[in-house]
Amino acid sequence: MEKSDVAALFQSFERQNPRPQTELIYTTPFSFLVSVILSAQATDKSVNKVMETLRPKVETPEAVLAVGLPALTESLKSINYFQNKAKNIVTLSKILVEHFQSCIPLNFSELVKLPGVGRKTANVLLVELAQEERIAVDTHVLRVSQRLGLSGAQTPETLERDLYDVVPRVFWSRTNHWLVLHGRYVCTARNPQCSSCFVKGFCKSFQEGLS
Ligand code: SF4
């Protein structure tokens, strides 16, 4: 896609939803981190449901350590990969208490060293909690970007690089939200709603009759 078309595409997203927000409900930065870790391979809806009762027990790393691994694992049973996620949340709580005065280090290279925190989670946290201009890439962002023709990248890391190259910087911190929401409600994996899609005029797949 030409850079001028990419700019026009994101202007359309901006007109449609100027201030897109995360659908994860949270009360503290740490409870947001817990929700983002839980949301890998799980829907935000399922995470919000579990967090409704769990949130008071995971608002700080100390609170997680007080709950302990067995009880946390039990509370997360409805979430995919709950055992690993519970282990990571407890281990990273210990690290934050012991090395970061119980605060989340808002620094990419420190974040990705924490258990359960990869590039995507680190970028999501830095956009949400530190207002940094970054693009987090998950499966929705990958699928929608490929369909639109923003990039032919096959991996999140190469797509992230391509997006920084083509998307105007002013849109970076909202790009993840727009593409995730579009992928969740319009450009779904199995049944994209192309006829009612407001960006179909820019979409490579639509123009090529592939979707
Ligand atoms: S036109 Fe279809 S494939 Fe293209 S972005 Fe819209 S929903 Fe997705």
Side-chain angles (χ1 to χ4, degrees):
M1 199 185 288
E2 296 289 327
K3 276 199 172 182
S4 57
D5 287 337
V6 177
L9 165 72
F10 281 93
Q11 280 157 9
S12 296
F13 278 116
E14 186 177 46
R15 268 194 302 278
Q16 197 252 358
N17 184 3
R19 279 177 291 278
Q21 306 284 330
T22 177
E23 294 192 317
L24 292 170
I25 300 164
Y26 66 96
T27 46
T28 63
F30 186 74
S31 69
F32 182 64
L33 167 57
V34 170
S35 288
V36 178
I37 289 174
L38 295 180
S39 71
Q41 317 282 326
T43 64
D44 286 4
K45 218 172 162 185
S46 67
V47 172
N48 285 338
K49 193 165 172 15
V50 163
M51 289 294 275
E52 260 175 38
T53 48
L54 187 62
R55 194 170 298 111
K57 298 178 193 160
V58 296
E59 285 186 323
T60 63
E62 286 88 350
V64 166
L65 296 179
V67 171
L69 183 58
L72 184 67
T73 307
E74 183 64 28
S75 331
L76 296 179
K77 265 182 157 170
S78 61
I79 299 282
N80 286 338
Y81 308 108
F82 67 98
Q83 283 158 316
N84 261 347
K85 289 176 180 175
K87 222 180 279 171
N88 285 337
I89 291 165
V90 169
T91 311
L92 79 79
S93 296
K94 272 188 202 144
I95 295 171
L96 295 189
V97 169
E98 286 169 15
H99 301 285
F100 295 97
Q101 293 86 44
S102 302
C103 296
I104 301 170
L106 292 176
N107 168 301
F108 187 84
S109 54
E110 293 291 356
L111 280 170
V112 292
K113 286 186 208 151
L114 296 173
V117 179
R119 287 191 74 83
K120 186 213 84 175
T121 299
N123 283 331
V124 166
L125 291 169
L126 289 169
V127 169
E128 185 75 14
L129 304 178
Q131 290 74 51
E132 286 195 13
E133 291 168 324
R134 288 175 172 272
I135 302 177
V137 173
D138 65 5
T139 52
H140 288 303
V141 174
L142 189 62
R143 182 182 70 257
V144 174
S145 297
Q146 286 169 340
R147 286 179 176 168
L148 282 165
L150 284 169
S151 158
Q154 298 297 317
T155 66
E157 202 161 337
T158 47
L159 175 61
E160 188 187 325
R161 219 172 35 223
D162 286 356
L163 291 177
Y164 287 134
D165 212 34
V166 294
V167 177
R169 191 175 185 117
V170 66
F171 299 129
W172 286 3
S173 57
R174 293 172 288 171
T175 295
N176 169 273
H177 289 317
W178 281 325
L179 297 182
V180 166
L181 293 169
H182 201 60
R184 201 171 277 161
Y185 299 110
V186 183
C187 191
T188 55
R190 294 205 186 136
N191 188 22
Q193 308 293 303
C194 298
S195 55
S196 57
C197 173
F198 70 98
V199 290
K200 61 177 179 275
F202 298 99
C203 180
K204 181 169 173 266
S205 295
F206 184 74
Q207 281 153 19
E208 292 176 351
L210 300 175
S211 52

